[in-house]
Amino acid sequence: MSAGVGVDLEKLWIRFGDFVAVRDANVKINGGDFFSFLGPSGCGKTTILRAVSGFLEPSDGRVLIGGNDMKGIGPNKRPTALIFQNLALFPLMKVWENITFSMEIKGASAKERRKRADELLDMIALPGQGDKLPSELSGGQRQRVAIARALCAEPDVLLLDEPLSALDLKLRQHMRTELREIQQRVGITFIYITHDQGEALTMSDNIAVMRAGVIDQIGDGKTVYNDPATAFAASFVGENNVFRGKVKQVSGDTALIATNRSGELLARISTANQGKMQPGDDAMLFIRPEAFALAPAGASGDHFVTATVTNEEFEGNVFNIFMEGDGGKELKVSLPNLGQSFESHKGQPMTLQYDVQNAVALPAGELATE
Amino acid sequence: MPRFLREFFNRNGVGMGSLMLGLVLFWTVGLIILPQLSMLDFSFRPNLPPPEIGGPKDVYTVENYKYLIFGPEGGSQDYNAVDLRVFYRTLIAAVFVTLFNLVLCYPIAYYLAQTKGNHIRIFALMLIIPYWINEILRAFALRIIFGETGVLNNALVGLGIFDTPFDFIRNDIALYAGLGYAYILLMIFPIYNVIESLDRNQIEAARDMGASWTKIHRRVVIPYAKPGISSGCTMVFMLSAGALAAPQILGGPSSLWFTQLIYQQFNDNSDWPQGAAYAVVLLVTCILLVLAVMRLFKVNMGDIGK
């Protein structure tokens, strides 16, 4: 298996009139990586994909594929294949014709194409379905045909624009695994666009978190989830509880934050911001719902939070407790269901504790809106 | 009652349903089928003075059809060469006008359908507004442009491209231009309608897979636009084969359109049966031709209605 062809974005700017869709993006995607751009709709991730595929010329900066500058090279000449959000299968062509369209362009004979189509249909586990029309297939099958069609062109880089968003939840989760398997089998670079952090976390080698045209953080799933670089990344990737306040004291990589509602709390400063937070700065402290544990009533200190329980729910694998939180948002706590008995605290104060390693201090910033 | 009728009445109620059904039947049966049947009846009767109609001489005959093929009885020629030539020339010219219109209108329709923005509405308006003007005036306007001392000749001679004016009218160029122009909307809008619903991603997907623009059109856009293309071509062909005003005004002195022969039979010769026979031949031939071409390109009747 080859190492694959990498993609580099260097000082990439894309403007539409006065609107800046992508602002100074610098990304190095290693060959053979499954790389995701994760962000809410309108953050510019699809724009980046279109710049890589060649449908859009950057206003500034460069797109390099395998080290070659792609300036002036059209989408039909780039070693990329794009899978569209709505798949864009050709409705009037049979499945096998769809899959081998790129070979038809190059003038391959019908016999060769048929053979290749059969191979690819086997790979995507749809043997013998070549003579159907796309409309005769189910959503998940169409999905796989679109992947086969893109792979048939033997691209160095496969670009996927939220291809799972039209599928129902079960199928989406199944396709995640399948996509990841296909990527590992063919060994080429996948660039995946999604607003679903679950998809990004489960499939990707590396993730770029985007907000309003800006890349906030690039890292592997664990880094992005456990060690977010910005308040936006912390609030967008996974569920998170935010405590607003000011930095009271910094010692090494931990900061004591004087929060607005919950007293002084201690947290680890995220790696990207170490040395950058000063006492007096506006700060945000993030603790994941699953990072809390029940504490003895009345316990207090710099890693205890006490608040009134407003609601409780049982989700099966976890008990969710909602408490009065900061800034109108509820504080959510998820306790794993280990078979323990659980008495309701609705309307009563409850004390929680957390491990300082699991609380992240960040400079105050824009949060993701849900 | 057949199921579709029952559903129709269930959906629209008996009163409204009957009204709509009645109007449609009046339109198709009363205004189209019955008059055409009456024409068909005419075409098989001899041309008699009014007192003899219904008399012993008023019997069914194929004389009128024989006349188109063999000419007047005891004539100098074996075949009615003049009329037959006009007939096939009309059909060929109508095919030509249709193809010319298709080549001209497909890019326009594609552009209108796949481009976004306000200027598209202005383009469409600029296409439509000329049709507010009467057909005959439009034909005369083309005469002014293409005439011997017309705008075009003045310009071409003035620029020194031609030494003497070119006779656009005698060479039928004015006629083809006039017929072509008369029906461009009927070609553009059916194609536009279909292409507008084509997902732009399909074009981009084809392009992404290395297809050239010609290939994209041949494999993706044209197959998709086929219903619109067939419906546009059918209308333009039928209407130009049946046109009267444009050939009358823009045709050269030597070139007759078959409809002009029909008109002469009805109007100048007062020979309705003969005119009806000619009209029936034109209609049936055109329908057969359209059906044959549809079959050749594997178009269903249902597609035309799209």
Side-chain angles (χ1 to χ4, degrees), chain B residues 105-185:
Chain B
C105 295
Y106 175 80
I108 298 176
Y110 177 79
Y111 177 76
L112 287 178
Q114 286 290 317
T115 317
K116 290 187 193 90
N118 262 335
H119 65 289
I120 289 305
R121 246 180 286 165
I122 297 169
F123 278 9
L125 218 58
M126 276 160 58
L127 283 170
I128 293 166
I129 285 178
Y131 288 82
W132 293 1
I133 295 162
N134 180 300
E135 188 188 356
I136 297 180
L137 283 182
R138 263 185 288 134
F140 273 110
L142 282 177
R143 225 188 141 89
I144 294 170
I145 294 170
F146 285 111
E148 188 135 14
T149 55
V151 179
L152 196 57
N153 266 322
N154 278 344
L156 288 172
V157 174
L159 289 170
I161 296 170
F162 288 162
D163 293 336
T164 52
F166 181 79
D167 196 340
F168 290 106
I169 295 199
R170 192 175 292 275
N171 286 296
D172 284 340
I173 288 174
L175 172 58
Y176 294 146
L179 281 174
Y181 182 51
Y183 306 118
I184 50 168
L185 286 191

Side-chain angles (χ1 to χ4, degrees), chain A residues 139-197:
Chain A
Q141 291 174 327
R142 276 204 289 273
Q143 183 68 60
R144 281 181 271 174
V145 171
I147 295 167
R149 181 175 75 170
L151 291 176
C152 182
E154 294 183 338
D156 294 328
V157 181
L158 189 68
L159 309 170
L160 303 98
D161 186 4
E162 306 207 25
L164 304 187
S165 56
L167 305 179
D168 60 54
L169 182 68
K170 263 250 153 65
L171 197 53
R172 206 153 64 215
Q173 285 171 341
H174 172 72
M175 285 306 295
R176 282 181 193 171
T177 326
E178 200 154 313
L179 265 178
R180 182 68 177 152
E181 274 172 20
I182 289 172
Q183 192 261 341
Q184 281 170 347
R185 210 173 321 149
V186 294
I188 61 172
T189 312
F190 274 37
I191 301 181
Y192 192 89
I193 298 295
T194 184
H195 65 271
D196 180 331
Q197 42 99 14

Side-chain angles (χ1 to χ4, degrees), chain B residues 250-281:
Chain B
L250 293 167
S254 63
S255 78
L256 271 179
W257 208 248
F258 196 68
T259 48
Q260 289 173 284
L261 291 183
I262 299 172
Y263 179 76
Q264 276 173 9
Q265 298 289 1
F266 273 101
N267 201 51
D268 303 348
N269 305 350
S270 297
D271 192 346
W272 280 45
Q274 188 62 64
Y278 274 32
V280 167
V281 170

Side-chain angles (χ1 to χ4, degrees), chain B residues 96-112:
Chain B
F96 175 76
V97 167
T98 309
L99 290 179
F100 171 76
N101 256 1
L102 177 59
V103 171
L104 183 76
C105 295
Y106 175 80
I108 298 176
Y110 177 79
Y111 177 76
L112 287 178

